[in-house]
Amino acid sequence: MSHRNIFVVGLNAFNRERLESLRGARHYRFHGVIEPEAVYDTEVFPIEDMLDRAEAELRDFTGSIDAIVGYMDFPVSTMLPLLCNRFATRTTSLESLLKCEHKYWSRLTQREVIGNYIPRFTAFDPFDDDALSRIGEAGLYFPFFVKPIKSSGSRLGFRIDSPEDFSAAVTRLREDIGLISEPFNFVLDQAQLPDSVRAVDGGHCMAEEIIGGWQCTVEGYVFQGQVVPYGIVDSIRYPQVLSFFYYRYPSRLPGRIQDKMRELSATVMAHIGYDNAAFNIEYFWDEVQNRIWLLEINTRISQSHCDLFEKVDGVSHQQVTVDLALGQPPDMPSRQGAFAVAGKFFYRVFFVDATVSRVPSAQEIEALEQEFPGTLIALQVSVGMRLSSLPEQDSYSFALAYIWMGADNDDALEYNYARLAERLIFEFEDIVG
């Protein structure tokens, strides 16, 4: 049997190892396209140039091009329909992807079928000096949340409790929104958009009613028109702040709430016309009001959840991405892993800025990983690094390390992390509190 060639945008060694352990991987050859540094360690995304370079790399390949995949948010997720179209490989259409990734178009589309499960919203231009008044005219009042029409992670997202908060947020948005708006606008120019959406380009922002509660993510896919949610991951935040503490799988939400989230996911993804690709949808469950809110739709698996599925179900859910790209139903197992529960923890500091003067040594990390079986520790900083140079951070903290752990139950998971975190020593200088 000949091998099938799968090209992965931004492929690094960490993810290559996971991919090569997937079911059927002995029949595959994984190839990187576009160096990982171009999509991981930067906030500058020359997307037109990246597409041209990727196309040139692929055209130079002498074998078959059987699939082109990715597992990251912008710019990778947004590039894939354009790149796949050039080589006639499988993925969803650009328009259906943008109905998820363009936050305003996504809300308009969601409102058509699940209007009772989304917050009030409006779009605004951060360069409009009367933007705050226009938001009020749209029926949104303090507090509310603002974020770019297209963002990545929690970057440039702000809770607004006062005019002063809005002014500070707009200052940051005016400074930094161009990093994503310019490349995103290039993608928008390739799509067929309704006039109401084309007028709200990547330089715009969203204002939304504050929603909250128990946050989780439904991971799913669509194969030949059938929507399949296959796992729900809880997202637990640090007390009193927006920053994530850890992700936990499987979810501990009540069964009826999980069932309703699966139903909503199937309804909205079918309505969007999304097909032959993976997705995940973030939700809140407000336990007090017994109300479910759809937060946002992402057009990919969550890379953060790969190890969680591997620990609990037996294989990374990159299995879903690869199988779909090859045109076959995903061969995703359930509860065949070594652990009953798994988590990805974010080791954070809540500084405004600082310079890193010490990080745990390789020997220290190896000792901790051996003491806590199944644990993986990935440092995000190095000595001499300025925290403000870290990409993909929220507006309130810096993640110094990611720690994946498995356990027999929830209590053991948190207890083991607390023990590990006490021995994960970082030091700083020039701290701005």
Side-chain angles (χ1 to χ4, degrees), residues 256-326:
R256 61 185 175 82
I257 300 300
Q258 295 190 46
D259 288 344
K260 185 63 179 180
M261 289 177 175
R262 293 186 188 98
E263 176 190 325
L264 293 170
S265 301
T267 298
V268 73
M269 297 312 289
H271 181 67
I272 284 170
Y274 195 84
D275 202 6
N276 298 315
F279 67 86
N280 70 71
I281 305 181
E282 298 173 51
Y283 289 95
F284 284 117
W285 176 47
D286 184 331
E287 187 173 4
V288 175
Q289 299 185 53
N290 192 28
R291 184 165 187 177
I292 294 172
W293 299 102
L294 190 155
L295 177 58
E296 66 179 15
I297 304 171
N298 299 302
T299 57
R300 52 175 172 76
I301 64 165
S302 170
Q303 187 180 178
S304 287
H305 298 164
C306 289
D307 188 74
L308 309 187
F309 281 93
E310 185 171 335
K311 281 179 166 47
V312 175
D313 288 339
V315 68
S316 165
H317 65 157
Q318 288 167 320
Q319 186 79 49
V320 170
T321 298
V322 169
D323 284 340
L324 290 170
L326 291 171

Side-chain angles (χ1 to χ4, degrees), residues 70-232:
Y71 41 74
M72 291 184 62
D73 198 353
F74 189 86
V76 174
S77 61
T78 319
M79 290 169 53
L80 280 174
L82 298 172
L83 196 56
C84 289
N85 185 59
R86 296 182 185 186
F87 291 89
T89 59
R90 300 170 188 81
T91 193
T92 195
S93 69
L94 178 60
E95 285 75 18
S96 67
L97 178 137
L98 289 172
K99 286 180 184 179
C100 305
E101 294 211 1
H102 186 297
K103 295 187 187 299
Y104 183 62
W105 195 7
S106 189
R107 286 299 193 208
L108 292 176
T109 307
Q110 294 163 29
R111 189 167 63 186
E112 293 170 357
V113 288
I114 57 166
N116 291 332
Y117 299 91
I118 65 172
R120 288 175 295 163
F121 65 93
T122 189
F124 71 93
D125 181 352
F127 295 91
D128 177 1
D129 291 336
D130 294 322
L132 185 57
S133 297
R134 300 187 198 283
I135 291 170
E137 291 168 2
L140 281 170
Y141 308 101
F142 303 123
F144 56 87
F145 198 77
V146 301
K147 54 189 173 184
I149 286 294
K150 176 58 195 163
S151 187
S152 178
S154 301
R155 182 167 42 186
L156 295 181
F158 303 92
R159 179 186 168 103
I160 307 300
D161 291 289
S162 67
E164 292 76 20
D165 286 347
F166 187 77
S167 178
V170 162
T171 298
R172 284 281 310 279
L173 288 162
R174 289 177 176 180
E175 291 173 352
D176 295 337
I177 197 170
L179 292 171
I180 287 187
S181 67
E182 292 179 12
F184 189 57
N185 283 343
F186 168 79
V187 175
L188 295 179
D189 288 341
Q190 317 306 307
Q192 298 295 318
L193 307 177
D195 292 341
S196 60
V197 174
R198 187 165 294 282
V200 182
D201 68 7
H204 285 70
C205 294
M206 290 281 284
E208 292 193 343
E209 175 186 6
I210 295 288
I211 57 177
W214 186 329
Q215 187 171 354
C216 68
T217 301
V218 175
E219 294 278 0
Y221 62 86
V222 189
F223 178 66
Q224 297 182 356
Q226 181 181 5
V227 184
V228 181
Y230 58 84
I232 300 180

Side-chain angles (χ1 to χ4, degrees), residues 1 42 124 169 224 301 326 370 381 395 406 420:
M1 177 179 179
T42 181
F124 71 93
Q224 297 182 356
I301 64 165
L326 291 171
Q370 290 181 355
V381 296
S395 301
L420 182 148

Side-chain angles (χ1 to χ4, degrees), residues 335-410:
R335 307 302 188 265
Q336 295 180 21
F339 299 94
V341 61
K344 177 190 178 180
F345 292 86
F346 297 82
Y347 186 102
R348 297 184 183 274
V349 291
F350 293 85
F351 302 151
V352 173
D353 205 358
T355 299
V356 180
S357 58
R358 183 195 189 278
V359 301
S361 68
Q363 293 77 14
E364 290 171 330
I365 290 173
E366 183 180 359
L368 287 170
E369 290 179 341
Q370 290 181 355
E371 183 175 343
F372 299 93
T375 293
L376 296 172
I377 301 172
L379 299 185
Q380 303 301 300
V381 296
S382 57
V383 172
M385 179 181 289
R386 195 73 181 164
L387 293 180
S388 55
S389 70
L390 279 170
E392 297 289 336
Q393 302 299 303
D394 63 35
S395 301
Y396 305 95
S397 68
F398 297 100
L400 307 182
Y402 303 148
I403 298 99
W404 290 269
M405 305 184 78
D408 292 333
N409 56 64
D410 296 344

